[in-house]
């Protein structure tokens, strides 16, 4: 396990993806509306798209066709290629992943020290 | 391992790019803004809209037509040996003004020859035509066929053409006499039997259902038999349906040959001999399911790899075809089947060194 000081906490904003590289590993940082910061492995578990080109979204929902609700803004990461949705809260895909793929996002431990974001990997 | 990508979409920034290549009066019509080009009748819902969201210019704006971006993200990044350019500007989709549509097909072919094919020897080209004007389409095929990178004629799948109809014969005759194959690709107007559906996801699921009838139409109406040297490529239309279509055609032929005696081989034999299907989108099936599907097809020589770059549903060659398949099958899917289909040489020296990767 090594600790990497990545950036200042103010650089990680809700709704935005902050791409960083630790060694040769691409990571993306994102802030949840709760204030928590996520460090996520930079490749999509489906077909390995570079997630820094993805977007932070919310959850569309609805029980009646053509009536959409939208909430949990800032809690979902959508892949830049096929658009699979992943919860930034749990790391799980919103739709169960195909049998032959890893399925969920890879989270790295994050520590906040003062106003520094530390990723432990 | 060598890589032949059978479905790569070059583009232009808009129909005005065709102005230098158009004759009058069409040149003035397009230059004057008389038509802005096709627009899809739906809204894309993925982060990059119709494209991968990472297909960007250096300033972060979406790239619509840039050889440099394609070269960096696709050809060099994945070590392509060949990429078959398939366009996505299909003049057949223009339902009226067929003179204009035929002129735009020719202009687009000239545009692609200059702005894409000339830039990279790895590119292979498709001749765009207006199928609604079959004689003009045949002349355009004859005109473009001598270009050394041109390998096929593109037949756009729209909502009102099944290409087995006798009126399209001049197109197949021109393709065959020029030793070109024909390829079928959906358009933003392709439909299922009850229309386009009510949602983008529905429309996208219906695409294979727009391609299956083309295979049925071509075989039942004798195109395979009339043009015994012609080869047929189904692009981006799915492939797991082929066993069903072959079984159904064979069964129907046994009970209904009396009506269609011009079919001289079992339809499944026609398919196995001269029909190929591109793999993207691979639908996330498991290695076990791949194996079963290939068994049901009766051969692993029908599938050819494609990425569909730069579109959002791109297949990554490092992931899309499972490594659990045999090396022999993977080699066939990634390049051997396409090399045979398009009669391509892969430099012999490239094969062992790349196969060792
Ligand atoms: S690569 Fe991310 S959803 Fe497919």
């Amino acid at each position: 396990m090594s600790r990497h000081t990545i950036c200042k906490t103010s650089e990680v904003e809700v709704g935005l993806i902050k791409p960083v590289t630790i060694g040769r590993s691409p990571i993306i940082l994102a802030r949840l509306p709760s204030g928590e910061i996520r460090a996520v492995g930079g490749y999509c578990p489906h077909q390995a798209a570079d997630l820094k080109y993805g977007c932070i979204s919310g959850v569309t929902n609805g029980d009646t066709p053509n009536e959409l609700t939208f909430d949990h803004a800032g809690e979902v990461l959508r892949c830049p290629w096929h658009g699979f949705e992943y919860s930034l809260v749990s790391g799980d895909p919103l739709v169960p992943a195909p049998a032959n793929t890893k399925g969920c996002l890879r989270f790295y431990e994050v520590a906040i020290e003062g106003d520094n974001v530390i990723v432990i990997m | 391992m060598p890589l032949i990508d059978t479905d790569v979409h070059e583009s232009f920034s808009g129909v005005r790019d065709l102005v230098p290549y158009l004759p009058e009066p069409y040149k003035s019509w397009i230059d004057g803004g008389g038509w802005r080009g096709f627009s899809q009748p739906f809204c894309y819902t993925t982060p990059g809209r119709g494209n991968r969201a990472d297909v960007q210019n250096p300033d972060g704006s979406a790239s619509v037509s840039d050889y440099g971006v394609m070269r960096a993200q696709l050809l060099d990044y994945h070590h392509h040996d060949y990429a078959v350019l398939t366009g996505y500007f299909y003049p057949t989709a223009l339902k009226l003004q067929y003179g204009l549509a035929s002129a735009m097909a020719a202009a687009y072919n000239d545009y692609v020859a200059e702005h894409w094919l000339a830039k990279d020897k790895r590119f292979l080209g498709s001749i765009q035509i207006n199928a609604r004007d079959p004689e003009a389409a045949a002349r355009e095929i004859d005109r473009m066929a001598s270009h050394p990178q041109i390998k096929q004629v593109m037949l756009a799948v729209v909502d009102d053409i099944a290409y087995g109809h006798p009126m399209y014969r001049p197109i197949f005759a021109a393709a065959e006499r020029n030793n070109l194959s024909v390829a079928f690709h959906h358009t933003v107007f392709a439909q299922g039997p009850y229309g386009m559906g009510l949602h983008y996801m529905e429309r996208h699921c219906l695409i294979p259902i727009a391609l299956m009838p083309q295979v049925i139409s071509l075989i039942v109406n004798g195109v395979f038999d009339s043009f015994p040297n012609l080869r047929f490529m189904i692009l981006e239309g799915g492939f797991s349906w082929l066993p069903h279509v072959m079984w159904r055609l064979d069964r129907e032929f046994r009970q209904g040959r009396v009506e269609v005696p011009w079919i001289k081989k079992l339809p499944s034999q026609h398919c196995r001999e001269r029909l190929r299907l591109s793999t993207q989108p691979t639908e996330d099936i498991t290695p076990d399911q791949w194996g079963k599907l290939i068994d049901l097809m009766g051969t692993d020589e029908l599938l050819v790899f494609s990425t569909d770059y730069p579109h959002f549903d791109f297949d990554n060659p490092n992931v899309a075809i499972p490594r659990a398949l045999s090396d022999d099958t993977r080699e066939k899917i990634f390049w051997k089947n396409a090399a045979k289909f398009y009669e391509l040489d892969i430099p012999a020296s490239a094969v062992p060194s790349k196969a060792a990767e």
Side-chain angles (χ1 to χ4, degrees):
Chain A
M1 290 290 211
S2 50
R3 298 164 62 83
H4 304 268
T5 303
I6 304 298
C7 62
K8 300 292 178 198
T9 54
S10 59
E11 294 175 52
V12 188
E13 297 175 53
V14 176
L16 297 179
I17 291 172
K18 182 171 178 59
V20 297
T21 309
I22 301 178
R24 293 176 57 182
S25 303
I27 303 276
I28 59 168
L29 299 180
R31 186 187 285 276
L32 291 167
S34 65
E36 214 175 329
I37 289 176
R38 286 277 184 259
V40 182
Y43 294 116
C44 179
H46 177 227
Q47 285 203 10
D50 186 340
L51 289 174
K52 76 176 178 219
Y53 296 103
C55 66
I56 306 289
S57 181
V59 180
T60 54
N61 241 319
D63 298 322
T64 307
N66 218 31
E67 285 182 18
L68 294 176
T69 60
F70 184 82
D71 50 27
H72 297 281
E75 292 186 3
V76 168
L77 173 68
R78 288 198 76 191
C79 172
W81 290 359
H82 312 115
F84 286 16
E85 303 164 280
Y86 298 95
S87 166
L88 282 168
V89 177
S90 67
D92 291 331
L94 268 58
V95 178
N100 52 326
T101 62
K102 287 192 208 85
C104 51
L105 296 176
R106 177 163 188 186
F107 285 170
Y108 294 98
E109 196 180 329
V110 174
I112 307 296
E113 291 179 2
D115 60 354
N116 288 324
V117 178
I118 318 283
V119 173
I120 300 154
M121 63 186 293
Chain B
M1 186 184 297
L3 178 60
I4 301 175
D5 184 345
T6 59
D7 190 20
V8 174
H9 296 283
E10 90 288 353
S11 185
F12 56 7
S13 57
V15 284
R16 277 228 171 90
D17 287 352
L18 302 183
V19 167
Y21 308 96
L22 280 169
E24 292 290 2
Y26 307 123
K27 181 196 281 279
S28 297
W29 296 1
I30 298 300
D31 198 24
W35 184 57
R36 295 198 195 131
F38 299 111
S39 169
Q40 82 279 358
F42 47 77
C43 178
Y44 289 108
T45 61
T46 40
R49 312 307 162 220
N51 277 353
R52 289 178 12 175
D54 58 342
V55 178
Q56 296 181 351
N57 298 310
D59 67 359
S61 61
S63 165
V64 289
S65 179
D66 189 309
Y67 164 66
V69 173
M70 182 189 284
R71 178 177 176 156
Q73 288 191 325
L74 185 76
L75 304 175
D76 291 353
Y77 189 82
H78 290 293
H79 309 293
H80 278 45
D81 289 274
Y82 291 105
V84 185
L85 297 180
T86 51
Y88 206 57
F89 175 73
Y90 299 141
T92 300
L94 197 68
K95 286 191 171 172
L96 58 168
Q97 299 174 314
Y98 60 87
L100 170 63
S102 296
M104 287 196 300
Y108 188 79
N109 290 329
D110 289 338
Y111 170 88
V112 171
E114 182 176 338
H115 292 274
W116 288 91
L117 295 177
K119 289 183 176 165
D120 202 309
K121 287 286 171 248
R122 290 170 289 185
F123 285 144
L124 302 174
S126 306
I127 303 175
Q128 302 299 342
I129 57 163
N130 171 22
R132 295 181 198 275
D133 191 355
E135 294 294 345
R139 287 194 295 277
E140 179 61 11
I141 294 166
D142 288 334
R143 184 181 78 91
M144 287 303 297
S146 60
H147 191 296
Q149 286 161 281
I150 288 288
K151 292 291 172 189
Q152 68 188 4
V153 175
M154 180 58 68
L155 292 171
V157 174
V158 289
D159 60 347
D160 62 345
I161 294 179
Y163 283 99
H165 193 288
M167 70 177 287
Y168 302 106
R169 290 294 195 277
I171 297 169
F172 298 111
E176 188 180 57
R177 72 173 164 263
N178 287 293
N179 192 31
L180 299 171
S181 54
V182 289
F184 299 81
H185 195 291
H186 67 75
T187 63
V188 292
F189 306 107
Q191 295 194 352
Y194 309 111
M196 205 174 274
L198 300 177
H199 300 281
Y200 180 82
M201 177 194 153
E202 195 173 354
R203 174 257 167 186
H204 220 229
C205 286
L206 290 170
I207 289 171
I209 304 172
L211 272 298
M212 284 181 233
Q214 299 297 344
V215 174
I216 295 168
S217 174
L218 294 166
I219 289 181
V220 172
N221 290 288
V223 177
F224 274 66
D225 291 284
S226 299
F227 304 100
N229 298 312
L230 198 53
R231 288 151 292 143
F232 305 82
M233 177 69 77
I234 298 290
L235 295 169
E236 204 182 348
F239 53 91
S240 53
W241 45 262
L242 187 67
H244 158 72
V245 167
M246 291 196 297
W247 294 327
R248 183 74 183 211
L249 279 166
D250 284 359
R251 166 61 195 255
E252 298 287 347
F253 182 53
R254 288 188 178 99
Q255 65 196 21
R257 192 210 60 83
V258 61
E259 181 194 18
V260 287
W262 49 80
I263 304 177
K264 301 299 184 194
K265 288 182 180 178
L266 266 183
S268 60
Q269 189 182 349
H270 272 321
C271 291
R272 291 198 184 92
E273 288 176 359
R274 287 187 286 139
L275 180 72
R276 300 294 177 263
L277 302 95
S278 70
T279 53
Q280 177 279 339
T282 43
E283 299 172 355
D284 300 318
I285 59 178
T286 64
D288 186 46
Q289 289 163 337
W290 272 96
K292 285 178 178 152
L293 200 47
I294 287 169
D295 274 353
L296 294 177
M297 289 181 179
T299 170
D300 59 2
E301 299 195 345
L302 303 189
L303 301 178
V304 295
F305 180 75
S306 60
T307 62
D308 193 35
Y309 181 92
H311 293 163
F312 78 93
D313 44 346
F314 172 87
D315 261 345
N316 180 350
N318 295 322
V319 182
I321 311 295
R323 289 173 197 277
L325 296 183
S326 73
D327 286 349
D328 192 40
T329 294
R330 280 168 53 83
E331 296 251 1
K332 285 178 178 168
I333 293 173
F334 275 121
W335 69 278
K336 281 186 178 166
N337 292 343
K340 212 188 234 180
F341 185 86
Y342 290 117
E343 299 176 340
L344 301 172
D345 291 327
I346 298 281
S349 58
V351 178
S353 62
K354 289 199 169 188
E357 277 172 11

